Amino acid sequence: MKLFTLTTALAMSLSLASPLFANDKPGEGKPAVRVVMPAQIEEHFHHYILLRALQELGYETAEPAEAEYQTMHIAIGGGDADFTANHWHALHAAFYEESGGAEVMTKVGVLIEGALQGYLVDKASYDAGITDFTMLKDPEIAKRFDADGDGKADLVGCTPGWGCERAIEFQLTEYGLRDTVTHNQGAYQAIIGDAIARHENGESIIYYTWTPYWVSGVLVPGKDVEWLSVPYTALPEGSEGLNTIVDGKNVGFGVESVGVLARNDFLEANPAAAKLFEVAKIPVNDVSAQALEIANGANSTEAIWGLADKWIVDNRATFDGWLAEARAAAE
């Protein structure tokens, strides 16, 4: 009995001292993790998935803060947040540099691959031969998309502070469209909602959008609308070398990667979190699907947490793989 007891005690002691056990909750005792998310609720989902992972690693997580994209970068650079999971590597490059760049922040991993941006028109206009964005230099073509009677095309554009507005403004000048196109920059959800209503009434529309997002679940490319091409790639400085070709068409914006942007001091102090951010990946179609759920009514904080938790249940093996790598990094 004594031998059994001593042997058992020794085994338990070794087990308790093993790295696997010691690092099961590597975040315990650490300061609460501060995340900053976009104000657009469709982009909370993937943040919540990472927050759940951090919680399973033993971290406390502070109440998420919300801001527009440029302000998110300023918050991280200035030490008011530890990370965001919504840094578009090319689109937000200027925000990154303007907020301190590599001296204070690191782009970690690729959470979402294959994000697209570009201009679309209703399918009737596309089938009538309006297939290239620069065709709107023709005043008669531009009038087709005139929503307010001023004779210029009304482009549903990008909200100031998002980053995409810089690219659109650059292209309007580069492609010579200033005289025939108005870049509407109100609250995106409101102006795209107006465009959808006009489309339902049989009117012609032109708009900028991106994926993953719910708009392409309502105005379906290939069915309701079509992507426009551009004659050549024209993007602001810092976007050189991007692939702007999608299915053989130059859509004018780079095929993007979205990842985590985190403070360097946070990453150094939290190797488990750093590894989690590096290895976590969520399919772009899954992000689009939840965005459509939100557009269809799952638009409360509780509902979006529920969508994140359901994704974890449905992808538990993948999720556990992230956690295993994160725990190993903390040894």
Side-chain angles (χ1 to χ4, degrees), residues 47-77:
H47 290 81
Y48 290 166
I49 290 173
L50 289 186
L51 289 176
R52 284 288 192 240
L54 288 168
Q55 290 164 2
E56 292 207 22
L57 292 170
Y59 287 95
E60 291 185 17
T61 54
E63 185 71 19
E66 296 180 20
E68 293 297 354
Y69 301 95
Q70 186 171 17
T71 307
M72 290 191 323
H73 289 73
I74 293 170
I76 296 168

mmCIF file of all heavy atoms in Angstrom, residues 47-77:
data_model
loop_
_atom_site.group_PDB
_atom_site.id
_atom_site.type_symbol
_atom_site.label_atom_id
_atom_site.label_comp_id
_atom_site.label_asym_id
_atom_site.label_seq_id
_atom_site.Cartn_x
_atom_site.Cartn_y
_atom_site.Cartn_z
ATOM 1 N N HIS A 47 -13.799 38.591 -34.133
ATOM 2 C CA HIS A 47 -13.184 39.033 -32.882
ATOM 3 C C HIS A 47 -13.671 38.172 -31.717
ATOM 4 O O HIS A 47 -12.891 37.776 -30.849
ATOM 5 C CB HIS A 47 -13.516 40.497 -32.608
ATOM 6 C CG HIS A 47 -12.841 41.460 -33.536
ATOM 7 N ND1 HIS A 47 -13.326 41.734 -34.795
ATOM 8 C CD2 HIS A 47 -11.706 42.200 -33.387
ATOM 9 C CE1 HIS A 47 -12.534 42.623 -35.382
ATOM 10 N NE2 HIS A 47 -11.545 42.917 -34.556
ATOM 11 N N TYR A 48 -14.974 37.883 -31.706
ATOM 12 C CA TYR A 48 -15.532 37.077 -30.612
ATOM 13 C C TYR A 48 -14.942 35.670 -30.597
ATOM 14 O O TYR A 48 -14.726 35.090 -29.524
ATOM 15 C CB TYR A 48 -17.055 37.008 -30.735
ATOM 16 C CG TYR A 48 -17.782 38.302 -30.445
ATOM 17 C CD1 TYR A 48 -19.125 38.457 -30.788
ATOM 18 C CD2 TYR A 48 -17.145 39.381 -29.828
ATOM 19 C CE1 TYR A 48 -19.816 39.638 -30.533
ATOM 20 C CE2 TYR A 48 -17.821 40.563 -29.573
ATOM 21 C CZ TYR A 48 -19.161 40.684 -29.920
ATOM 22 O OH TYR A 48 -19.838 41.850 -29.659
ATOM 23 N N ILE A 49 -14.691 35.114 -31.776
ATOM 24 C CA ILE A 49 -14.079 33.786 -31.818
ATOM 25 C C ILE A 49 -12.691 33.823 -31.165
ATOM 26 O O ILE A 49 -12.344 32.950 -30.354
ATOM 27 C CB ILE A 49 -14.006 33.271 -33.265
ATOM 28 C CG1 ILE A 49 -15.417 32.954 -33.782
ATOM 29 C CG2 ILE A 49 -13.113 32.026 -33.359
ATOM 30 C CD1 ILE A 49 -15.466 32.594 -35.254
ATOM 31 N N LEU A 50 -11.903 34.841 -31.485
ATOM 32 C CA LEU A 50 -10.576 34.949 -30.859
ATOM 33 C C LEU A 50 -10.688 35.236 -29.368
ATOM 34 O O LEU A 50 -9.887 34.719 -28.573
ATOM 35 C CB LEU A 50 -9.763 36.050 -31.545
ATOM 36 C CG LEU A 50 -9.272 35.754 -32.961
ATOM 37 C CD1 LEU A 50 -8.355 36.877 -33.445
ATOM 38 C CD2 LEU A 50 -8.540 34.415 -33.051
ATOM 39 N N LEU A 51 -11.674 36.023 -28.958
ATOM 40 C CA LEU A 51 -11.851 36.287 -27.529
ATOM 41 C C LEU A 51 -12.217 35.004 -26.784
ATOM 42 O O LEU A 51 -11.727 34.765 -25.668
ATOM 43 C CB LEU A 51 -12.920 37.360 -27.317
ATOM 44 C CG LEU A 51 -12.520 38.782 -27.723
ATOM 45 C CD1 LEU A 51 -13.717 39.731 -27.561
ATOM 46 C CD2 LEU A 51 -11.343 39.277 -26.899
ATOM 47 N N ARG A 52 -13.048 34.169 -27.371
ATOM 48 C CA ARG A 52 -13.376 32.879 -26.744
ATOM 49 C C ARG A 52 -12.110 32.023 -26.604
ATOM 50 O O ARG A 52 -11.902 31.360 -25.573
ATOM 51 C CB ARG A 52 -14.417 32.131 -27.572
ATOM 52 C CG ARG A 52 -15.821 32.654 -27.431
ATOM 53 C CD ARG A 52 -16.409 32.314 -26.077
ATOM 54 N NE ARG A 52 -17.834 32.566 -26.031
ATOM 55 C CZ ARG A 52 -18.428 33.406 -25.192
ATOM 56 N NH1 ARG A 52 -17.700 34.094 -24.305
ATOM 57 N NH2 ARG A 52 -19.738 33.575 -25.211
ATOM 58 N N ALA A 53 -11.270 32.035 -27.624
ATOM 59 C CA ALA A 53 -10.027 31.267 -27.546
ATOM 60 C C ALA A 53 -9.131 31.804 -26.430
ATOM 61 O O ALA A 53 -8.548 31.029 -25.657
ATOM 62 C CB ALA A 53 -9.300 31.315 -28.890
ATOM 63 N N LEU A 54 -9.019 33.107 -26.341
ATOM 64 C CA LEU A 54 -8.210 33.702 -25.263
ATOM 65 C C LEU A 54 -8.773 33.325 -23.900
ATOM 66 O O LEU A 54 -8.014 33.005 -22.964
ATOM 67 C CB LEU A 54 -8.173 35.221 -25.425
ATOM 68 C CG LEU A 54 -7.333 35.751 -26.592
ATOM 69 C CD1 LEU A 54 -7.620 37.232 -26.828
ATOM 70 C CD2 LEU A 54 -5.843 35.539 -26.332
ATOM 71 N N GLN A 55 -10.085 33.325 -23.771
ATOM 72 C CA GLN A 55 -10.708 32.953 -22.503
ATOM 73 C C GLN A 55 -10.405 31.497 -22.141
ATOM 74 O O GLN A 55 -10.133 31.179 -20.985
ATOM 75 C CB GLN A 55 -12.219 33.195 -22.574
ATOM 76 C CG GLN A 55 -12.588 34.672 -22.616
ATOM 77 C CD GLN A 55 -14.007 34.932 -23.075
ATOM 78 O OE1 GLN A 55 -14.784 33.997 -23.345
ATOM 79 N NE2 GLN A 55 -14.380 36.199 -23.193
ATOM 80 N N GLU A 56 -10.429 30.607 -23.132
ATOM 81 C CA GLU A 56 -10.105 29.203 -22.865
ATOM 82 C C GLU A 56 -8.632 29.031 -22.501
ATOM 83 O O GLU A 56 -8.260 28.047 -21.852
ATOM 84 C CB GLU A 56 -10.484 28.327 -24.054
ATOM 85 C CG GLU A 56 -11.985 28.228 -24.266
ATOM 86 C CD GLU A 56 -12.413 26.945 -24.956
ATOM 87 O OE1 GLU A 56 -11.652 25.950 -24.899
ATOM 88 O OE2 GLU A 56 -13.521 26.945 -25.532
ATOM 89 N N LEU A 57 -7.809 29.990 -22.911
ATOM 90 C CA LEU A 57 -6.394 29.969 -22.532
ATOM 91 C C LEU A 57 -6.157 30.618 -21.170
ATOM 92 O O LEU A 57 -5.009 30.744 -20.744
ATOM 93 C CB LEU A 57 -5.560 30.684 -23.606
ATOM 94 C CG LEU A 57 -5.469 29.978 -24.960
ATOM 95 C CD1 LEU A 57 -4.835 30.906 -25.993
ATOM 96 C CD2 LEU A 57 -4.674 28.677 -24.844
ATOM 97 N N GLY A 58 -7.224 31.035 -20.523
ATOM 98 C CA GLY A 58 -7.116 31.568 -19.172
ATOM 99 C C GLY A 58 -7.054 33.075 -19.069
ATOM 100 O O GLY A 58 -6.968 33.630 -17.970
ATOM 101 N N TYR A 59 -7.115 33.764 -20.191
ATOM 102 C CA TYR A 59 -7.060 35.226 -20.160
ATOM 103 C C TYR A 59 -8.411 35.810 -19.747
ATOM 104 O O TYR A 59 -9.468 35.300 -20.113
ATOM 105 C CB TYR A 59 -6.714 35.787 -21.536
ATOM 106 C CG TYR A 59 -5.288 35.602 -21.956
ATOM 107 C CD1 TYR A 59 -4.918 34.510 -22.744
ATOM 108 C CD2 TYR A 59 -4.305 36.527 -21.598
ATOM 109 C CE1 TYR A 59 -3.606 34.336 -23.154
ATOM 110 C CE2 TYR A 59 -2.994 36.356 -21.999
ATOM 111 C CZ TYR A 59 -2.640 35.261 -22.776
ATOM 112 O OH TYR A 59 -1.343 35.095 -23.169
ATOM 113 N N GLU A 60 -8.362 36.885 -19.000
ATOM 114 C CA GLU A 60 -9.535 37.737 -18.851
ATOM 115 C C GLU A 60 -9.576 38.661 -20.056
ATOM 116 O O GLU A 60 -8.536 39.078 -20.569
ATOM 117 C CB GLU A 60 -9.447 38.564 -17.561
ATOM 118 C CG GLU A 60 -9.564 37.759 -16.291
ATOM 119 C CD GLU A 60 -9.593 38.646 -15.059
ATOM 120 O OE1 GLU A 60 -9.855 39.864 -15.215
ATOM 121 O OE2 GLU A 60 -9.349 38.136 -13.968
ATOM 122 N N THR A 61 -10.773 38.977 -20.526
ATOM 123 C CA THR A 61 -10.900 39.864 -21.681
ATOM 124 C C THR A 61 -11.764 41.058 -21.292
ATOM 125 O O THR A 61 -12.859 40.887 -20.744
ATOM 126 C CB THR A 61 -11.514 39.135 -22.886
ATOM 127 O OG1 THR A 61 -12.763 38.536 -22.512
ATOM 128 C CG2 THR A 61 -10.575 38.052 -23.386
ATOM 129 N N ALA A 62 -11.258 42.239 -21.539
ATOM 130 C CA ALA A 62 -11.998 43.455 -21.235
ATOM 131 C C ALA A 62 -13.170 43.617 -22.194
ATOM 132 O O ALA A 62 -13.208 43.002 -23.269
ATOM 133 C CB ALA A 62 -11.067 44.656 -21.330
ATOM 134 N N GLU A 63 -14.131 44.437 -21.817
ATOM 135 C CA GLU A 63 -15.247 44.739 -22.703
ATOM 136 C C GLU A 63 -14.697 45.318 -24.009
ATOM 137 O O GLU A 63 -13.905 46.267 -23.990
ATOM 138 C CB GLU A 63 -16.177 45.757 -22.043
ATOM 139 C CG GLU A 63 -17.442 46.054 -22.816
ATOM 140 C CD GLU A 63 -18.435 44.907 -22.823
ATOM 141 O OE1 GLU A 63 -18.334 44.021 -21.955
ATOM 142 O OE2 GLU A 63 -19.303 44.906 -23.724
ATOM 143 N N PRO A 64 -15.064 44.760 -25.155
ATOM 144 C CA PRO A 64 -14.519 45.261 -26.420
ATOM 145 C C PRO A 64 -14.851 46.737 -26.647
ATOM 146 O O PRO A 64 -15.963 47.189 -26.360
ATOM 147 C CB PRO A 64 -15.206 44.381 -27.463
ATOM 148 C CG PRO A 64 -15.556 43.122 -26.743
ATOM 149 C CD PRO A 64 -15.911 43.559 -25.360
ATOM 150 N N ALA A 65 -13.866 47.467 -27.153
ATOM 151 C CA ALA A 65 -14.087 48.846 -27.575
ATOM 152 C C ALA A 65 -14.399 48.852 -29.061
ATOM 153 O O ALA A 65 -14.017 47.939 -29.794
ATOM 154 C CB ALA A 65 -12.849 49.682 -27.285
ATOM 155 N N GLU A 66 -15.103 49.881 -29.519
ATOM 156 C CA GLU A 66 -15.458 50.009 -30.923
ATOM 157 C C GLU A 66 -14.985 51.354 -31.451
ATOM 158 O O GLU A 66 -15.037 52.367 -30.748
ATOM 159 C CB GLU A 66 -16.972 49.891 -31.119
ATOM 160 C CG GLU A 66 -17.536 48.532 -30.747
ATOM 161 C CD GLU A 66 -19.037 48.450 -30.961
ATOM 162 O OE1 GLU A 66 -19.577 49.290 -31.735
ATOM 163 O OE2 GLU A 66 -19.683 47.579 -30.368
ATOM 164 N N ALA A 67 -14.527 51.372 -32.695
ATOM 165 C CA ALA A 67 -14.067 52.604 -33.333
ATOM 166 C C ALA A 67 -14.050 52.404 -34.837
ATOM 167 O O ALA A 67 -14.145 51.274 -35.329
ATOM 168 C CB ALA A 67 -12.670 52.969 -32.834
ATOM 169 N N GLU A 68 -13.928 53.482 -35.582
ATOM 170 C CA GLU A 68 -13.713 53.375 -37.013
ATOM 171 C C GLU A 68 -12.268 52.912 -37.252
ATOM 172 O O GLU A 68 -11.421 52.972 -36.372
ATOM 173 C CB GLU A 68 -13.994 54.705 -37.713
ATOM 174 C CG GLU A 68 -15.464 55.117 -37.682
ATOM 175 C CD GLU A 68 -16.389 54.163 -38.423
ATOM 176 O OE1 GLU A 68 -15.898 53.214 -39.083
ATOM 177 O OE2 GLU A 68 -17.616 54.362 -38.346
ATOM 178 N N TYR A 69 -11.982 52.473 -38.472
ATOM 179 C CA TYR A 69 -10.735 51.762 -38.751
ATOM 180 C C TYR A 69 -9.483 52.599 -38.457
ATOM 181 O O TYR A 69 -8.534 52.114 -37.832
ATOM 182 C CB TYR A 69 -10.732 51.292 -40.211
ATOM 183 C CG TYR A 69 -11.896 50.390 -40.514
ATOM 184 C CD1 TYR A 69 -13.074 50.904 -41.068
ATOM 185 C CD2 TYR A 69 -11.848 49.034 -40.226
ATOM 186 C CE1 TYR A 69 -14.161 50.082 -41.321
ATOM 187 C CE2 TYR A 69 -12.930 48.205 -40.488
ATOM 188 C CZ TYR A 69 -14.085 48.735 -41.031
ATOM 189 O OH TYR A 69 -15.162 47.917 -41.272
ATOM 190 N N GLN A 70 -9.484 53.839 -38.869
ATOM 191 C CA GLN A 70 -8.313 54.667 -38.612
ATOM 192 C C GLN A 70 -8.102 54.849 -37.117
ATOM 193 O O GLN A 70 -6.981 54.755 -36.610
ATOM 194 C CB GLN A 70 -8.461 56.026 -39.301
ATOM 195 C CG GLN A 70 -7.218 56.897 -39.205
ATOM 196 C CD GLN A 70 -7.316 58.131 -40.075
ATOM 197 O OE1 GLN A 70 -8.395 58.523 -40.519
ATOM 198 N NE2 GLN A 70 -6.191 58.760 -40.343
ATOM 199 N N THR A 71 -9.191 55.068 -36.389
ATOM 200 C CA THR A 71 -9.106 55.254 -34.937
ATOM 201 C C THR A 71 -8.661 53.981 -34.238
ATOM 202 O O THR A 71 -7.953 54.031 -33.221
ATOM 203 C CB THR A 71 -10.463 55.729 -34.390
ATOM 204 O OG1 THR A 71 -10.892 56.878 -35.128
ATOM 205 C CG2 THR A 71 -10.363 56.088 -32.917
ATOM 206 N N MET A 72 -9.049 52.814 -34.752
ATOM 207 C CA MET A 72 -8.577 51.546 -34.178
ATOM 208 C C MET A 72 -7.058 51.494 -34.200
ATOM 209 O O MET A 72 -6.417 51.087 -33.227
ATOM 210 C CB MET A 72 -9.130 50.354 -34.971
ATOM 211 C CG MET A 72 -10.603 50.104 -34.816
ATOM 212 S SD MET A 72 -11.139 48.503 -35.521
ATOM 213 C CE MET A 72 -10.150 48.326 -36.979
ATOM 214 N N HIS A 73 -6.473 51.862 -35.319
ATOM 215 C CA HIS A 73 -5.019 51.819 -35.443
ATOM 216 C C HIS A 73 -4.351 52.813 -34.492
ATOM 217 O O HIS A 73 -3.339 52.499 -33.859
ATOM 218 C CB HIS A 73 -4.613 52.104 -36.896
ATOM 219 C CG HIS A 73 -4.943 50.986 -37.838
ATOM 220 N ND1 HIS A 73 -6.228 50.711 -38.244
ATOM 221 C CD2 HIS A 73 -4.150 50.062 -38.437
ATOM 222 C CE1 HIS A 73 -6.221 49.669 -39.056
ATOM 223 N NE2 HIS A 73 -4.978 49.256 -39.200
ATOM 224 N N ILE A 74 -4.958 53.986 -34.371
ATOM 225 C CA ILE A 74 -4.426 54.987 -33.439
ATOM 226 C C ILE A 74 -4.488 54.468 -32.006
ATOM 227 O O ILE A 74 -3.550 54.652 -31.222
ATOM 228 C CB ILE A 74 -5.209 56.307 -33.579
ATOM 229 C CG1 ILE A 74 -4.946 56.932 -34.958
ATOM 230 C CG2 ILE A 74 -4.839 57.282 -32.472
ATOM 231 C CD1 ILE A 74 -5.852 58.111 -35.282
ATOM 232 N N ALA A 75 -5.580 53.783 -31.657
ATOM 233 C CA ALA A 75 -5.734 53.254 -30.300
ATOM 234 C C ALA A 75 -4.661 52.219 -29.984
ATOM 235 O O ALA A 75 -4.090 52.222 -28.882
ATOM 236 C CB ALA A 75 -7.124 52.641 -30.141
ATOM 237 N N ILE A 76 -4.367 51.337 -30.938
ATOM 238 C CA ILE A 76 -3.343 50.321 -30.709
ATOM 239 C C ILE A 76 -1.963 50.974 -30.646
ATOM 240 O O ILE A 76 -1.172 50.714 -29.730
ATOM 241 C CB ILE A 76 -3.403 49.242 -31.796
ATOM 242 C CG1 ILE A 76 -4.735 48.487 -31.721
ATOM 243 C CG2 ILE A 76 -2.236 48.251 -31.654
ATOM 244 C CD1 ILE A 76 -5.021 47.609 -32.906
ATOM 245 N N GLY A 77 -1.691 51.853 -31.577
ATOM 246 C CA GLY A 77 -0.402 52.516 -31.586
ATOM 247 C C GLY A 77 -0.157 53.349 -30.337
ATOM 248 O O GLY A 77 0.976 53.451 -29.850
#
